[in-house]
Amino acid sequence: MKALFWPVCCAGLLSLCSCGPRVARVESVDIVPRPVTVEASDGAFDLTRSTKICLLSDDTMLLRSADFFNGLLQPSLGRALKVETGACADSDAIRVELGDLAPEAYEISIRPEGVRIVGGSPAGVYYAFQTIRQLLPEPVLRGEKAGVVELPVVEIADQPYFAYRGGMLDVGRHFFSVDDVKEFIDILAMHKINRFHWHLTQDQGWRIEIKKYPELTRVGAFRDRCDLDPAAPNDSVPYGGFYTQDEAREIVRYAADRFITVIPEIEFPGHAVAALASYPWLSCTGEQYEVRQTWDIDDRVFCIGRDSTFRFIEGVLEEVVALFPSTYIHIGGDECPTDRWEQCPRCRERMRAEGLTRPRQLQGYATTRIERFLSSHGRRLIGWDEILDSGVSRTAVVMSWRGTEGGIRAARQGNEVVMAPTTHCYFDYYQTADTAGEPLAWGGCLPLEKVYALSPCEGLDSVQRASVLGVQANLWTEYIPDFAQAQYMLLPRLGALAEVGWSPGRKDYAEFLPRLKRLTRFYDACGYVYAKHSLAD
Ligand code: ACM
Ligand code: ZN
C-alpha cells in the first residue's frame, strides 16, 4: 500500500500545481503595428495559472478580451485564468478597466507585481491584449507546457491614427468556407484591423442568400467551370457556393467579438452577370445568361431603365441591412461599361425622363437613388471611386482604388475617403519581380516595402486630410483558389498595411523589418502560410 501511495499522491499534486518550466520573457519588445510609446525596463511579471484577470469596469464586451487571452494561454498553462469582475487583489493579477482615452486607445503597464490595462473602450482593451499576445514567449505561442510565463516589464501607450483600417476578401471569384472567412477575420484582428469588407457578389458568383430572390443562390452561386488561367483552361468541373443568412450572422458575430465590423458589398450596376443569370429580367435585353466562368470586365450589367431593377436591388439591400449592422454598405460601382445602356430603349427613355445627356450619368442616377434608400435605413453608401465620375452626393464614401487620385478628388470636394490604391493595396499582385517560382497572380508587382511606403494623405491639406477615414488591403481572388494561397498573398504585406493605418507617423522600414520578423513567429504558431521574400537576413 505504501509503495503505491506516494506515486498516486504526487500525480494528484502535480495536477493541482503549476506544471511545466519557467518560460523566459522575450528579449525585446517588438510590436506590429508600432505603438505610440514603448518604455521597456528590466524584470518580468510571472504569469502562472493562479494569476487572475480582474475586470474592473462593468461592460460585458470586456469578457471577450479575457476569453481571447485565455484561449492563447490555456494550452500552455493547462487551464484558463480565473476571470473576476469588480474587486481585485493587488498582486498577481491582470487588472482591466476602461478609462478616459480615445475609443480604440489603450495603456499597458507590466510590472513585477502585476499587469494593468486601461482601454478607451472594450476595443482598446482588446487591442491591449493583442499587443500582450506579441509579448508572449515563443514556446507559449506553440502551446508548449509552461508553469511560469514571463512577461517583460514595460509601459505602452497606444492608439490608432486612422479610424478605418480594412481588409477586403473577394469571395465571388473563388468561394471560401465559413471557417476560412473566420480565419481571415482572425488574421485581420491580429493586425488590429477593424473593418472586414466582404465582397459578396461578382459576375462569377452571387454568394449571399437572399430570401426574396432564391434564384440568386440556386443559379447565381454556381458556374459550370472555373478557369484559373483563361489562356489555359484547366478545370472543367462545376464550381460554387454561398453563405446562408445564418452563416452571415455567425460571421458578423464572430467579427464583432474581435471588434471588427463587416461591411458587405453588393456590386451594382456592374459585375452583375451572376444576378442577371438568376433573373434575366434584370438585364437590358432579358436574355438568359450563364454565370460567368472567366475573368475581366463584362458589359452585361443591370438595366437602369427598368423600375423592376430598383425594386430588386432595394429588396436585396433590405435583407442585407437586416443582416449587417454596419453603418457603411458597399454598393460596388466599379468597372461598369455603358454599352448595353446605349443600345437599350428603356435606358434611353430613363435618360430622357431624367434629363441626362451622357449614358454614364445613368450610374449617377442609380447610385443616388440607392443612397437615398440606404439613408432611409440609417446607413451610408460606400462605393469604388467610379461613383465620382457620374456625380455623387457629399455623403457618399469613396473607396479610391484607381490610384489615390480619386480619393484626393473626393476629399477635396468634401467626401469621406478610404484609400485602397492598386499601387499599394492590391494584394492579388505578385510580391516580387521574379515571378518564376510564384503561384499565378493577377500581374503587377507589389513588394512589402512598397505597401509600407503608402502615404494615404499625400496631396491633401490639413482640412482635407480629415476626410481620409483610412486604408484598406484588397484581396481579389481570380487566381487564389484556396485559403492557403490567400494567406500567402496577404502575409506579411498585411503587417505593412497595418502600420500604414495605425502608425503612419512612426514608419521606418528598416526598423519595421525586425518587428515584422518577430510577428512571423505568430504566423508560424498559427500555421499561416506567408511570403518570405523580404524577410531574409
Ligand atoms: C476594382 O479593383 N475593380 C475595384
Ligand atoms: Zn437597359
Side-chain angles (χ1 to χ4, degrees):
M1 280 300 285
K2 262 189 185 159
L4 263 180
F5 175 79
W6 282 110
V8 170
C9 176
C10 280
L13 280 174
L14 273 175
S15 69
L16 286 174
C17 72
S18 53
C19 305
R22 167 178 286 271
V23 183
R25 62 187 175 277
V26 292
E27 277 166 17
S28 62
V29 173
D30 295 316
I31 310 295
V32 175
R34 188 178 184 175
V36 176
T37 60
V38 174
E39 285 171 33
S41 314
D42 278 347
F45 169 67
D46 289 349
L47 192 155
T48 68
R49 46 200 285 171
S50 66
T51 303
K52 289 181 180 142
I53 301 178
C54 302
L55 308 179
L56 300 177
S57 300
D58 185 20
D59 190 317
T60 53
M61 284 305 280
L62 293 177
L63 282 168
R64 303 281 185 274
S65 297
D67 289 349
F68 161 68
F69 196 55
N70 261 329
L72 298 173
L73 291 174
Q74 195 160 349
S76 290
L77 294 181
R79 61 166 249 196
L81 302 184
K82 205 160 169 221
V83 180
E84 294 183 348
T85 49
C88 188
D90 283 340
S91 62
D92 197 18
I94 301 172
R95 299 163 63 94
V96 177
E97 59 197 300
L98 299 178
D100 190 16
L101 300 174
E104 292 186 302
Y106 66 87
E107 291 170 357
I108 298 170
S109 170
I110 301 179
R111 299 190 179 165
E113 59 274 20
V115 178
R116 180 165 180 253
I117 293 172
V118 183
S121 71
V125 169
Y126 182 73
Y127 296 139
F129 276 110
Q130 283 286 1
T131 292
I132 294 177
R133 174 192 202 176
Q134 294 190 34
L135 299 176
L136 292 175
E138 280 177 39
V140 175
L141 306 185
R142 292 192 295 266
E144 290 171 22
K145 291 286 169 239
V148 178
V149 176
E150 289 187 2
L151 294 180
V153 167
V154 69
E155 306 281 325
I156 298 175
D158 200 10
Q159 68 180 90
Y161 184 85
F162 288 113
Y164 185 117
R165 305 175 304 279
M168 187 278 283
L169 180 65
D170 164 17
V171 295
R173 272 54 175 268
H174 280 100
F175 178 71
F176 295 87
S177 70
V178 168
D179 284 346
D180 291 341
V181 173
K182 286 182 176 172
E183 197 151 25
F184 187 84
I185 289 168
D186 284 337
I187 292 172
L188 298 183
M190 178 188 267
H191 295 83
K192 302 192 176 99
I193 283 171
N194 63 0
R195 300 290 196 286
F196 167 42
H197 172 173
W198 202 4
H199 185 85
L200 283 165
T201 71
Q202 255 304 333
D203 294 317
Q204 295 84 1
W206 183 284
R207 304 282 176 229
I208 178 76
E209 178 190 25
I210 300 294
K211 306 256 189 218
K212 193 168 178 187
Y213 297 110
E215 298 296 278
L216 287 172
T217 42
R218 196 187 68 78
V219 173
F222 300 92
R223 56 189 187 248
D224 283 351
R225 59 201 168 83
C226 177
D227 293 337
L228 271 188
D229 178 0
N234 59 3
D235 182 354
S236 57
V237 293
Y239 180 91
F242 66 93
Y243 309 96
T244 64
Q245 294 203 349
D246 281 345
E247 287 171 333
R249 276 187 280 269
E250 187 184 329
I251 294 288
V252 167
R253 264 194 312 274
Y254 189 87
D257 284 348
R258 288 151 184 78
F259 299 90
I260 291 175
T261 303
V262 183
I263 299 178
E265 179 180 355
I266 305 295
E267 278 270 22
F268 189 91
H271 288 296
V273 176
L276 309 191
S278 309
Y279 294 103
W281 45 265
L282 291 167
S283 77
C284 285
T285 62
E287 285 167 89
Q288 179 64 62
Y289 301 135
E290 288 185 338
V291 177
R292 188 144 188 217
Q293 295 139 7
T294 51
W295 319 131
D296 235 326
I297 300 173
D298 202 300
D299 67 1
R300 296 168 297 175
V301 302
F302 285 104
C303 177
I304 302 302
R306 298 179 192 259
D307 283 331
S308 53
T309 298
F310 290 93
R311 281 197 293 279
F312 167 84
I313 195 67
E314 290 178 5
V316 167
L317 290 175
E318 220 146 50
E319 294 190 29
V320 165
V321 297
L323 285 173
F324 297 95
S326 167
T327 303
Y328 299 119
I329 304 290
H330 204 305
I331 57 100
D334 59 318
E335 300 179 320
C336 180
T338 58
D339 314 40
R340 299 286 170 141
W341 297 343
E342 286 162 40
Q343 311 294 323
C344 171
R346 291 186 188 84
C347 285
R348 285 208 300 267
E349 171 52 26
R350 177 78 74 195
M351 284 181 65
R352 197 199 55 72
E354 296 296 326
L356 309 177
T357 52
R358 290 179 295 118
R360 174 61 61 208
Q361 290 171 312
L362 283 170
Q363 180 166 358
Y365 164 82
T367 306
T368 307
R369 200 163 153 174
I370 293 174
E371 190 182 10
R372 270 202 306 273
F373 175 82
L374 287 175
S375 332
S376 74
H377 287 73
R379 306 305 175 96
R380 301 264 317 268
L381 178 145
I382 182 164
W384 299 109
D385 60 62
E386 283 92 333
I387 63 172
L388 283 168
D389 298 343
S390 48
V392 78
S393 82
R394 277 302 104 85
T395 45
V397 180
V398 174
M399 190 167 270
S400 191
W401 73 279
R402 297 175 297 176
T404 52
E405 293 77 12
I408 291 171
R409 189 149 56 96
R412 287 187 179 151
Q413 70 182 42
N415 285 86
E416 288 182 327
V417 170
V418 175
M419 290 295 194
T422 53
T423 47
H424 297 77
C425 297
Y426 268 46
F427 289 6
D428 54 336
Y429 287 16
Y430 286 105
Q431 316 191 48
T432 167
D434 176 11
T435 60
E438 294 297 301
L440 184 66
W442 181 258
C445 178
L446 178 52
L448 181 76
E449 190 167 4
K450 180 120 190 253
V451 177
Y452 197 75
L454 175 61
S455 182
C457 294
E458 205 168 285
L460 298 173
D461 66 26
S462 60
V463 174
Q464 295 156 354
R465 278 166 188 239
S467 297
V468 179
L469 299 177
V471 293
Q472 179 168 291
N474 288 337
L475 195 59
W476 301 104
T477 61
E478 284 94 335
Y479 297 104
I480 301 182
D482 58 49
F483 196 61
Q485 196 171 323
Q487 291 172 6
Y488 178 78
M489 299 307 277
L490 201 59
L491 302 174
R493 289 187 287 194
L494 195 64
L497 196 79
E499 200 142 307
V500 173
W502 188 280
S503 28
R506 298 183 292 285
K507 282 196 299 166
D508 174 341
Y509 189 67
E511 189 276 344
F512 165 68
L513 277 180
R515 282 185 290 113
L516 184 70
K517 271 190 203 163
R518 160 87 181 144
L519 187 65
T520 62
R521 300 286 76 76
F522 295 84
Y523 298 167
D524 291 332
C526 294
Y528 298 152
V529 184
Y530 58 96
K532 303 195 172 131
H533 312 93
S534 310
L535 300 172
D537 286 320

Short mmCIF file of all heavy atoms in Angstrom, two decimals, residues 271 334-335 384 386 401 422 426 476, ligand 1:
data_model
loop_
_atom_site.label_atom_id
_atom_site.label_comp_id
_atom_site.label_asym_id
_atom_site.label_seq_id
_atom_site.Cartn_x
_atom_site.Cartn_y
_atom_site.Cartn_z
N HIS A 271 -20.52 44.23 -62.77
CA HIS A 271 -20.12 42.95 -62.17
C HIS A 271 -21.35 42.17 -61.69
O HIS A 271 -21.39 41.68 -60.56
CB HIS A 271 -19.13 43.18 -61.02
CG HIS A 271 -17.77 43.62 -61.50
ND1 HIS A 271 -16.97 42.82 -62.27
CD2 HIS A 271 -17.09 44.78 -61.32
CE1 HIS A 271 -15.84 43.47 -62.56
NE2 HIS A 271 -15.89 44.65 -62.00
N ASP A 334 -17.75 49.86 -59.52
CA ASP A 334 -16.56 49.88 -60.37
C ASP A 334 -16.82 49.23 -61.71
O ASP A 334 -17.73 48.42 -61.86
CB ASP A 334 -15.40 49.15 -59.67
CG ASP A 334 -15.75 47.70 -59.35
OD1 ASP A 334 -16.90 47.46 -58.91
OD2 ASP A 334 -14.92 46.80 -59.56
N GLU A 335 -16.01 49.61 -62.68
CA GLU A 335 -15.91 48.91 -63.96
C GLU A 335 -17.26 48.55 -64.57
O GLU A 335 -17.54 47.39 -64.84
CB GLU A 335 -15.07 47.63 -63.77
CG GLU A 335 -13.67 47.93 -63.28
CD GLU A 335 -12.82 46.70 -63.04
OE1 GLU A 335 -13.34 45.68 -62.54
OE2 GLU A 335 -11.62 46.75 -63.36
N TRP A 384 -16.74 52.21 -54.95
CA TRP A 384 -15.44 52.40 -55.60
C TRP A 384 -15.40 53.76 -56.27
O TRP A 384 -16.45 54.35 -56.55
CB TRP A 384 -15.20 51.28 -56.61
CG TRP A 384 -15.18 49.90 -55.99
CD1 TRP A 384 -16.13 48.94 -56.12
CD2 TRP A 384 -14.18 49.34 -55.14
NE1 TRP A 384 -15.79 47.81 -55.41
CE2 TRP A 384 -14.58 48.03 -54.79
CE3 TRP A 384 -12.96 49.81 -54.62
CZ2 TRP A 384 -13.83 47.19 -53.97
CZ3 TRP A 384 -12.22 48.97 -53.80
CH2 TRP A 384 -12.65 47.69 -53.49
N GLU A 386 -15.23 55.02 -59.06
CA GLU A 386 -16.01 55.34 -60.27
C GLU A 386 -17.29 56.09 -59.93
O GLU A 386 -17.84 56.78 -60.79
CB GLU A 386 -16.37 54.06 -61.03
CG GLU A 386 -15.23 53.47 -61.83
CD GLU A 386 -14.44 52.43 -61.06
OE1 GLU A 386 -14.42 52.51 -59.81
OE2 GLU A 386 -13.84 51.55 -61.71
N TRP A 401 -9.43 53.29 -55.59
CA TRP A 401 -8.62 52.12 -55.98
C TRP A 401 -7.80 52.39 -57.23
O TRP A 401 -6.72 51.84 -57.40
CB TRP A 401 -9.50 50.89 -56.17
CG TRP A 401 -10.36 50.87 -57.42
CD1 TRP A 401 -11.56 51.50 -57.58
CD2 TRP A 401 -10.08 50.20 -58.65
NE1 TRP A 401 -12.05 51.27 -58.84
CE2 TRP A 401 -11.17 50.46 -59.52
CE3 TRP A 401 -9.04 49.40 -59.10
CZ2 TRP A 401 -11.22 49.96 -60.82
CZ3 TRP A 401 -9.10 48.89 -60.40
CH2 TRP A 401 -10.18 49.16 -61.25
N THR A 422 -4.44 50.53 -56.17
CA THR A 422 -3.78 49.33 -56.72
C THR A 422 -2.28 49.39 -56.46
O THR A 422 -1.66 48.35 -56.22
CB THR A 422 -3.99 49.25 -58.25
OG1 THR A 422 -3.58 50.49 -58.82
CG2 THR A 422 -5.42 48.97 -58.60
N TYR A 426 -3.15 46.33 -53.46
CA TYR A 426 -3.72 45.20 -54.18
C TYR A 426 -2.86 43.96 -53.95
O TYR A 426 -1.85 43.73 -54.61
CB TYR A 426 -3.90 45.55 -55.66
CG TYR A 426 -5.29 46.12 -55.90
CD1 TYR A 426 -5.80 47.09 -55.05
CD2 TYR A 426 -6.10 45.67 -56.94
CE1 TYR A 426 -7.09 47.61 -55.23
CE2 TYR A 426 -7.38 46.18 -57.13
CZ TYR A 426 -7.87 47.14 -56.27
OH TYR A 426 -9.13 47.65 -56.43
N TRP A 476 -8.31 40.33 -54.16
CA TRP A 476 -9.14 39.79 -55.25
C TRP A 476 -8.66 38.36 -55.52
O TRP A 476 -7.46 38.08 -55.43
CB TRP A 476 -9.00 40.65 -56.50
CG TRP A 476 -9.42 42.07 -56.27
CD1 TRP A 476 -8.62 43.16 -56.11
CD2 TRP A 476 -10.77 42.55 -56.15
NE1 TRP A 476 -9.38 44.28 -55.90
CE2 TRP A 476 -10.70 43.95 -55.93
CE3 TRP A 476 -12.02 41.95 -56.21
CZ2 TRP A 476 -11.83 44.74 -55.76
CZ3 TRP A 476 -13.15 42.75 -56.05
CH2 TRP A 476 -13.05 44.12 -55.83
C1 ACM B 1 -11.64 47.01 -58.57
O1 ACM B 1 -10.49 46.59 -58.37
N1 ACM B 1 -12.27 46.74 -59.70
C2 ACM B 1 -12.34 47.78 -57.54
#
